[in-house]
Amino acid sequence: MVGLLTLTPGLDTTLVLRTAALGHHRRAWGVILGIQSGTLVWGVLTSLGVTALLTASHLAYETLRWAGAAYLMWMGGKLLWTTRRRSVAECPKAAGSGAEVETGTDIGDRDTLLGGWRQGIATNLLNPKMGAFYVAVLPQFIPADASHLAAGVLLAGIHILLAVIWACALITIAHALRDRLQRPSVRRYLDRITGTVIAAFGLRLALEE
């Protein structure tokens, strides 16, 4: 079940592909580690019964949902806005300052492991669907006579392992296409597509019942 969930294209796939395609290897791995750190947190909280409170409390779920929607729409909107600035910077008059503008336009940040980790874990933990998924699915696979915490962490670990393997494949694909994807015109289109997808995820989260 988590294998199918991992292979389904979504926000995680979009973030990893886009970051790796820009040649930001440290940041890409930071995003992966951040996302999987969030997955582990959801697994632990579900094993302890904490996330059941999230799905039972309308206020808690709505608060997390709106926070996640606002974060995603901000991130997608910022990326779309910076593609416009990059277009201006790449005109002949701004040729001397292109590198400077280029440095600060990635969903905001440099090629750092910590920056990617913060982005990954925030994206994961602000998604209430992850909590709802784990509450609905995880307990069904925990044996009645087993420690809920140990079994829950083990099952979350399987999810993390599959996700990391898939992320390695995504990074390999992005690396193979890196030269083409780093062309200014292609990069602008890539960022516009990524920004639109991220903002759409946020809008969908905001409009859901």
Side-chain angles (χ1 to χ4, degrees):
M1 186 177 292
V2 295
L4 291 174
L5 177 66
T6 300
L7 292 174
T8 302
L11 182 59
D12 295 355
T13 303
T14 303
L15 283 176
V16 173
L17 269 177
R18 187 261 176 187
T19 307
L22 296 179
H24 293 175
H25 301 300
R26 288 189 297 272
R27 187 175 183 83
W29 278 108
V31 170
I32 294 167
L33 292 175
I35 291 171
Q36 302 319 318
S37 295
T39 300
L40 181 60
V41 170
W42 284 120
V44 170
L45 293 180
T46 302
S47 303
L48 296 174
V50 176
T51 47
L53 300 176
L54 173 67
T55 55
S57 170
H58 179 74
L59 178 60
Y61 188 89
E62 287 297 293
T63 300
L64 185 61
R65 181 170 71 92
W66 281 108
Y71 175 72
L72 292 177
M73 286 191 286
W74 170 81
M75 187 163 56
K78 184 177 181 181
L79 189 54
L80 289 171
W81 173 253
T82 54
T83 58
R84 294 187 60 187
R85 292 178 57 195
R86 187 181 301 128
S87 297
V88 173
E90 286 169 356
C91 70
K93 292 182 181 180
S97 60
E100 182 181 355
V101 175
E102 211 47 48
T103 300
T105 52
D106 299 331
I107 308 181
D109 307 319
R110 296 177 184 144
D111 185 16
T112 63
L113 188 71
L114 181 59
W117 181 85
R118 285 198 301 259
Q119 186 180 43
I121 195 169
T123 301
N124 189 283
L125 291 181
L126 288 175
N127 183 4
K129 287 184 175 182
M130 279 294 295
F133 172 81
Y134 264 69
V135 168
V137 173
L138 193 66
Q140 301 180 49
F141 293 92
I142 297 179
D145 57 346
S147 165
H148 277 221
L149 180 59
V153 170
L154 176 62
L155 292 172
I158 295 172
H159 187 182
I160 291 170
L161 177 62
L162 292 174
V164 170
I165 292 173
W166 176 235
C168 289
L170 293 177
I171 288 179
T172 301
I173 294 171
H175 181 74
L177 299 174
R178 183 181 59 182
D179 292 340
R180 294 182 181 179
L181 295 176
Q182 286 188 346
R183 294 174 184 171
S185 59
V186 176
R187 179 173 176 174
R188 281 198 303 273
Y189 285 117
L190 175 64
D191 283 355
R192 286 170 186 168
I193 292 171
T194 306
T196 302
V197 169
I198 292 174
F201 271 105
L203 183 62
R204 180 182 176 185
L205 188 59
L207 296 177
E208 276 186 344
E209 292 291 339

